């Protein structure tokens, strides 16, 4: 069976990797198409912070996001061990903090998330922040979400790339249209038994999906004077700042979510807001060095929920919004399950006809 995966972001690479697990069983030949160079870091997944936070997402997202994200956390614990190189993964929980004037918002967040958890209400706990992070003791009481974690998206994508050496690649290849069993580029049309469209915003031009772009901005700081170990959110009147600790005193700072398909560099306004909020959380960020800034745009549908549609000959995965890294394993697991069921059904029907 000849299968095409169009788009080599987190969804496309993870899908191709898991399809390889079925290569012998289904006789798969996998071809990957991507508009960027294979070694570039242009996919929006490279700009993600890698926060695995299904609990925190319950404040604004549908419960589907929580359930899918929780499943993804389980899958990450298993799947990462199958990759050819180590990927940074940490699951020690996350913290939610607030300054005095914003404690009302913190309490609202606590009550809202707890009410949606039902029998799992103990998964969000009020704690003295200083017990979890001595660098945050000045903030007093906060929240601890014990099951949450993070993964390094860059290491993850690079490790996935290493697993795909047996696939045929067409990088630097703009796909003009996708239809049932066909992939059309500027120079030729390829035919497959199955095509999976994982292009994200690239699918806007030839599909009827009501996709929109959501711009995200991320700053990387080197902060030797800061020693925060947990992913930490800071409640804010306009947005929720997140701080993601990485090895060697590197911290990823983000929060911005702008309805725009603008890929230009981080704005002065966003930089000032992010850095001032980080400084208010810990004075050590005042002496930090900005080592990188990242901007990208993520594909979203009107309901901000992911779309998975599998039919004989064509599959679509899109609309992962800002949850791409969080939801990818669970979405791909569902896609593989549905593909396997459909492939078996087609095989049985063909057998019946031939008999």
């Amino acid at each position: 069976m000849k299968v095409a995966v169009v788009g080599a972001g987190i969804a496309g690479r993870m899908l191709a990797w898991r399809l390889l697990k079925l290569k012998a069983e289904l006789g798969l030949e996998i071809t990957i198409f991507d508009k960027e160079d294979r070694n570039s870091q242009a996919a929006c997944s490279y700009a993600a912070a890698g926060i695995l936070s299904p609990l925190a997402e319950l404040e604004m997202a549908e419960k589907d996001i929580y359930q899918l994200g929780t499943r993804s956390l389980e899958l990450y614990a298993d799947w990462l061990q199958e990759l050819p190189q180590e990927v940074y993964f940490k699951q020690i929980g996350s913290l939610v903090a607030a300054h005095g004037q914003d404690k009302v918002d913190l309490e609202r967040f606590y009550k809202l998330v707890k009410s949606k958890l039902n029998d799992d209400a103990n998964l969000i706990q009020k704690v003295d922040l200083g017990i979890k992070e001595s660098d945050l003791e000045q903030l007093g009481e906060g929240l601890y979400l014990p099951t949450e974690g993070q993964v390094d998206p860059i290491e993850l994508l690079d490790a996935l790339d290493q697993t795909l050496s047996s696939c045929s690649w067409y990088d630097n290849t703009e796909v003009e249209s996708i239809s049932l069993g066909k992939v059309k580029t500027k120079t030729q049309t390829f035919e497959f038994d199955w095509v999976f469209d994982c292009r994200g915003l690239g699918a806007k031009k030839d599909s009827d999906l009501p996709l929109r772009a959501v711009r995200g901005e991320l700053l990387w700081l080197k902060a030797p004077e800061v020693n925060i170990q947990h992913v930490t959110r800071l409640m804010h009147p306009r947005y929720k700042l997140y701080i993601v600790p990485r090895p060697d005193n590197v911290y990823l700072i983000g929060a911005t979510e702008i309805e725009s398909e603008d890929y230009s560099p981080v704005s002065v306004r966003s930089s000032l807001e992010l850095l001032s909020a980080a400084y208010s959380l810990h004075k050590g960020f005042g002496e930090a060095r900005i080592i990188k800034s990242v901007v990208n745009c993520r594909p979203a549908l009107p309901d901000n929920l992911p779309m998975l549609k599998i039919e004989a000959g064509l599959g679509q995965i899109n609309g992962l919004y800002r949850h791409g890294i969080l939801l990818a394993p669970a979405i791909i697991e569902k896609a593989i399950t549905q593909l396997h069921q459909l492939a078996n059904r087609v095989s049985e029907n063909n057998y019946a006809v031939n008999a």
Side-chain angles (χ1 to χ4, degrees):
M1 183 190 299
K2 296 173 63 179
V3 176
V5 176
V6 185
I10 184 62
R13 291 191 194 197
M14 192 169 283
L15 173 63
W17 175 47
R18 301 316 291 183
L19 284 172
L20 283 173
K21 302 287 184 180
L22 301 174
K23 184 175 182 179
E25 180 183 350
L26 299 180
L28 299 183
E29 297 177 24
I30 301 170
T31 301
I32 299 172
F33 294 85
D34 195 61
K35 66 178 181 179
E36 306 293 345
D37 184 273
R38 182 173 176 178
N39 296 316
S40 77
Q41 295 189 357
C44 64
S45 307
Y46 278 104
I51 303 173
L52 306 177
S53 57
L55 281 166
E57 293 298 333
L58 268 177
E59 180 198 14
M60 298 179 64
E62 300 291 335
K63 199 161 185 179
D64 287 352
I65 301 297
Y66 167 69
Q67 293 168 340
L68 289 168
T70 299
R71 177 57 183 160
S72 285
L73 271 167
E74 297 171 351
L75 292 171
Y76 269 122
D78 292 334
W79 287 5
L80 292 179
Q81 298 180 48
E82 301 176 23
L83 291 171
Q85 70 181 45
E86 187 175 351
V87 174
Y88 180 78
F89 173 74
K90 197 174 183 180
Q91 192 176 4
I92 62 170
S94 70
L95 300 173
V96 186
H99 294 297
Q101 68 271 23
D102 300 319
K103 292 290 186 182
V104 173
D105 291 329
L106 185 69
E107 182 65 19
R108 182 195 59 79
F109 177 95
Y110 171 73
K111 289 180 177 178
L112 180 59
V113 172
K114 189 173 182 178
S115 69
K116 292 184 178 182
L117 284 171
N118 299 322
D119 295 337
D120 296 324
N122 64 324
L123 294 180
I124 181 168
Q125 306 165 11
K126 290 185 177 181
V127 296
D128 181 342
L129 290 171
I131 295 176
K132 294 293 181 182
E133 293 283 1
S134 59
D135 278 22
L136 301 178
E137 62 181 353
Q138 76 279 5
L139 294 173
E141 187 178 73
L143 303 176
Y144 175 53
L145 287 64
T147 60
E148 301 204 321
Q150 62 155 306
V151 66
D152 186 329
I154 296 175
E155 291 185 357
L156 174 60
L157 287 162
D158 289 348
L160 288 170
D161 183 75
Q162 288 190 36
T163 70
L164 305 177
S165 59
S166 64
C167 300
S168 299
W169 274 81
Y170 289 87
D171 59 352
N172 291 310
T173 302
E174 185 81 26
V175 170
E176 293 193 338
S177 66
I178 291 175
S179 56
L180 198 67
K182 293 184 179 180
V183 175
K184 184 178 183 298
T185 69
K186 291 181 178 180
T187 58
Q188 66 184 112
T189 299
F190 299 82
E191 293 191 358
F192 297 92
D193 299 299
W194 228 299
V195 177
F196 286 91
D197 186 353
C198 304
R199 290 176 294 168
L201 290 170
K204 284 177 66 175
K205 59 186 177 183
D206 66 300
S207 74
D208 56 0
L209 294 176
L211 289 164
R212 73 183 199 282
V214 181
R215 173 182 165 103
E217 301 169 325
L218 191 67
L219 298 178
W220 288 54
L221 308 181
K222 178 76 170 180
E225 297 182 19
V226 180
N227 185 31
I228 296 174
Q229 301 300 314
H230 293 77
V231 172
T232 302
R233 288 174 181 77
L234 178 67
M235 306 299 288
H236 186 278
R238 289 205 315 108
Y239 54 77
K240 293 169 181 62
L241 175 87
Y242 58 78
I243 295 178
V244 184
R246 290 285 173 77
D248 302 319
N249 298 108
V250 171
Y251 294 86
L252 280 57
I253 312 294
T256 54
E257 189 172 305
I258 303 165
E259 297 282 337
S260 169
E261 195 165 348
D262 175 7
Y263 290 85
S264 63
V266 177
S267 69
V268 170
R269 178 177 180 177
S270 293
S271 298
L272 288 171
E273 290 181 342
L274 290 173
L275 294 173
S276 61
Y279 178 70
S280 76
L281 184 73
H282 194 295
K283 302 307 178 190
F285 283 118
E287 294 301 318
R289 296 296 181 261
I290 302 172
I291 57 176
K292 184 164 64 170
S293 63
V294 185
V295 170
N296 218 307
C297 295
R298 300 154 293 191
L301 292 165
D303 59 4
N304 292 333
L305 291 174
M307 183 207 69
L308 170 62
K309 185 177 180 181
I310 307 292
E311 56 186 336
L314 182 64
Q316 293 173 287
I317 300 174
N318 215 318
L320 297 188
Y321 185 38
R322 55 189 177 85
H323 305 127
I325 301 297
L326 172 63
L327 301 186
I331 294 293
I332 298 308
E333 181 185 51
K334 283 179 171 289
I336 294 294
T337 298
Q338 291 181 29
L339 169 66
H340 204 273
Q341 291 170 346
L342 276 170
N344 286 339
R345 200 176 306 157
V346 170
S347 178
E348 289 170 1
N349 289 340
N350 289 339
Y351 176 80
V353 170
N354 293 330

